[in-house]
Amino acid sequence: MTDTTPTTSTDVWFEGAFMRVLVDTNDSGGASSMMDHWYPANWAPPLHVHHRVDQVLHVLEGLIRARADDGPETTLHPGESAFLPRDVPHTFISGPEGAKVLEINTPGGFEQFHLEAGEPALETRIPDPKEVDVPKLVAAIGPYEAEFVGPPMS
C-alpha cells in the first residue's frame, strides 16, 4: 500500500471550479490519478478528447449531464459514474446546483494540466467567476496529448 497524502500544494482554481489532487501520477507510479472537482452551477468544459488517458467521472453531489462523441446525453446523479475512453470526444455540464465529482484518469498525468492551467486556490471553495483564458488553456493542454474540438455543452 502507498500513502497518497500529497506532499505539495494541490488545490487549484481552474476556470471557475475548485479542484484538489487526491492521488497524483507520482503517488501511483504513473498508473492513475484522482481529483476532487467542485463545479459551480452550469459549469462546462469545451468538447475535448484525451489521446492518452481513459477517464471516469463519479458524481458525489449534484448532477452532471454528459455526452461522449455524437451519442445521447446521459444525466448522472450522486453515486453514478461515466467511463470516458481515450480518443472519444466528450463534454459535460454541471446541474443548476453545481456538482462535486471525482475524476479518475488512467494512466496518471492529466491532473498536471489542471495544476498548470489553473492558479493556486487561496481558499477551499469555488472561486469567484472570471473570464476564461482560452489561449492559456489551448497552450496548456497539448503536452498532455489532449485537445479541444468543440464548444461546451449548454
Side-chain angles (χ1 to χ4, degrees):
M1 183 168 92
T2 302
D3 176 1
T4 60
T5 304
T7 57
T8 59
S9 176
T10 58
D11 292 355
V12 63
W13 285 340
F14 179 84
E15 302 305 334
F18 171 82
M19 299 182 177
R20 173 174 284 157
V21 176
L22 301 173
V23 177
D24 75 16
T25 191
N26 295 321
D27 296 328
S28 69
S32 63
S33 65
M34 182 169 60
M35 295 185 73
D36 187 12
H37 293 197
W38 300 3
Y39 301 124
N42 304 309
W43 190 92
L47 182 68
H48 59 283
V49 60
H50 305 269
H51 298 294
R52 187 172 108 33
V53 301
D54 295 318
Q55 191 171 75
V56 172
L57 300 178
H58 179 79
V59 178
L60 300 171
E61 294 180 22
L63 63 86
I64 63 171
R65 289 185 296 121
R67 187 182 77 238
D69 211 3
D70 291 329
E73 283 186 16
T74 300
T75 300
L76 301 172
H77 299 271
E80 297 180 329
S81 302
F83 174 70
L84 303 166
R86 67 188 75 197
D87 295 322
V88 175
H90 59 274
T91 188
F92 61 90
I93 187 168
S94 60
E97 306 293 321
K100 290 185 179 178
V101 175
L102 286 179
E103 175 187 287
I104 303 164
N105 296 296
T106 57
F110 193 70
E111 77 283 0
Q112 296 302 315
F113 161 68
H114 297 291
L115 295 174
E116 289 178 20
E119 54 193 74
L122 303 177
E123 299 174 57
T124 304
R125 65 173 178 83
I126 293 172
D128 297 330
K130 71 174 199 169
E131 191 167 326
V132 174
D133 187 344
V134 174
K136 179 180 177 182
L137 288 177
V138 170
I141 202 167
Y144 298 97
E145 298 179 50
E147 61 185 313
F148 298 113
V149 295
M153 285 180 71
S154 57

